[in-house]
């Protein structure tokens, strides 16, 4: 029982470490974007406003905003993956 508890605790600690590594990488990578792009990346998660409404508010077509968000998310994902890989070396 004691051994199982120790193994479970180690697994939990590793999971927490992975989450905090990802959170650190996310924050670092988000800070590399311009303020406008940073806000765009967070906007769909922070409000109930749809991308269509957000596009209208920004004077963009919904399609162009979807494409921009896709490119920004791709860059963010790549940055996070590179940071995590660099930290694990």
């Amino acid at each position: 029982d004691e051994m199982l508890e120790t193994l479970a605790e180690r697994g939990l600690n590793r999971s927490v470490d992975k989450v905090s590594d990802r959170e650190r990488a996310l924050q670092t990578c988000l800070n590399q974007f311009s303020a406008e792009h940073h806000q765009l990346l967070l906007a769909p998660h922070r409000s109930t406003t749809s991308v269509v409404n957000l596009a209208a508010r920004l004077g963009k077509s919904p399609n162009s905003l979807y494409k921009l968000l896709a490119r920004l998310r791709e860059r963010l994902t790549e940055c996070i993956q590179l940071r995590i890989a660099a930290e694990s070396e």
Side-chain angles (χ1 to χ4, degrees):
D1 285 341
E2 202 173 302
M3 186 173 179
L4 285 176
E5 284 180 32
T6 301
L7 290 173
E9 191 174 303
R10 285 182 187 165
L12 180 60
N13 287 341
R14 283 189 199 125
S15 294
V16 169
D17 288 345
K18 284 182 181 179
V19 169
S20 61
D21 288 348
R22 284 187 168 278
E23 287 176 350
R24 254 192 322 276
L26 171 62
Q27 196 58 45
T28 299
C29 291
L30 276 173
N31 288 335
Q32 292 179 0
F33 286 91
S34 69
E36 179 186 1
H37 286 169
H38 186 155
Q39 292 303 317
L40 277 175
L41 281 163
L42 297 177
H45 306 284
R46 286 191 170 164
S47 72
T48 57
T49 302
S50 69
V51 173
V52 173
N53 290 339
L54 183 59
R57 210 173 65 212
L58 296 172
K60 297 181 180 289
S61 72
N63 191 40
S64 69
L65 186 57
Y66 277 115
K67 287 180 181 180
L68 175 58
L69 282 169
R71 287 191 306 272
L72 293 173
R73 288 174 180 150
E74 185 176 327
R75 282 180 40 209
L76 180 61
T77 300
E78 288 172 8
C79 178
I80 291 168
Q81 289 171 345
L82 288 171
R83 289 222 170 260
I84 290 172
E87 287 178 10
S88 66
E89 290 179 356

PDB file of all heavy atoms in Angstrom, residues 16 68 79-80 87:
ATOM      1  N   VAL A  16       1.363  17.399 -12.459  1.00  0.00           N
ATOM      2  CA  VAL A  16       1.322  18.810 -12.062  1.00  0.00           C
ATOM      3  C   VAL A  16       2.480  19.561 -12.711  1.00  0.00           C
ATOM      4  O   VAL A  16       2.314  20.676 -13.207  1.00  0.00           O
ATOM      5  CB  VAL A  16       1.352  18.945 -10.524  1.00  0.00           C
ATOM      6  CG1 VAL A  16       1.584  20.393 -10.098  1.00  0.00           C
ATOM      7  CG2 VAL A  16       0.062  18.412  -9.925  1.00  0.00           C
ATOM      8  N   LEU A  68      -7.256  34.190 -39.665  1.00  0.00           N
ATOM      9  CA  LEU A  68      -6.256  34.828 -38.820  1.00  0.00           C
ATOM     10  C   LEU A  68      -6.115  34.067 -37.499  1.00  0.00           C
ATOM     11  O   LEU A  68      -5.003  33.781 -37.048  1.00  0.00           O
ATOM     12  CB  LEU A  68      -6.618  36.291 -38.549  1.00  0.00           C
ATOM     13  CG  LEU A  68      -5.715  37.053 -37.578  1.00  0.00           C
ATOM     14  CD1 LEU A  68      -4.265  37.063 -38.055  1.00  0.00           C
ATOM     15  CD2 LEU A  68      -6.236  38.471 -37.378  1.00  0.00           C
ATOM     16  N   CYS A  79       5.048  27.382 -30.860  1.00  0.00           N
ATOM     17  CA  CYS A  79       5.876  28.016 -29.836  1.00  0.00           C
ATOM     18  C   CYS A  79       5.846  27.192 -28.545  1.00  0.00           C
ATOM     19  O   CYS A  79       6.897  26.921 -27.946  1.00  0.00           O
ATOM     20  CB  CYS A  79       5.387  29.438 -29.579  1.00  0.00           C
ATOM     21  SG  CYS A  79       6.310  30.314 -28.290  1.00  0.00           S
ATOM     22  N   ILE A  80       4.672  26.775 -28.121  1.00  0.00           N
ATOM     23  CA  ILE A  80       4.532  25.994 -26.890  1.00  0.00           C
ATOM     24  C   ILE A  80       5.292  24.676 -27.013  1.00  0.00           C
ATOM     25  O   ILE A  80       6.025  24.288 -26.111  1.00  0.00           O
ATOM     26  CB  ILE A  80       3.043  25.754 -26.562  1.00  0.00           C
ATOM     27  CG1 ILE A  80       2.381  27.071 -26.155  1.00  0.00           C
ATOM     28  CG2 ILE A  80       2.887  24.701 -25.464  1.00  0.00           C
ATOM     29  CD1 ILE A  80       0.871  27.012 -26.077  1.00  0.00           C
ATOM     30  N   GLU A  87      12.778  22.698 -22.763  1.00  0.00           N
ATOM     31  CA  GLU A  87      12.872  22.533 -21.312  1.00  0.00           C
ATOM     32  C   GLU A  87      13.160  21.092 -20.918  1.00  0.00           C
ATOM     33  O   GLU A  87      13.761  20.836 -19.882  1.00  0.00           O
ATOM     34  CB  GLU A  87      11.581  22.994 -20.623  1.00  0.00           C
ATOM     35  CG  GLU A  87      11.411  24.497 -20.617  1.00  0.00           C
ATOM     36  CD  GLU A  87      10.110  24.927 -19.968  1.00  0.00           C
ATOM     37  OE1 GLU A  87       9.418  24.073 -19.361  1.00  0.00           O
ATOM     38  OE2 GLU A  87       9.776  26.120 -20.064  1.00  0.00           O
TER      39      GLU A  87
END
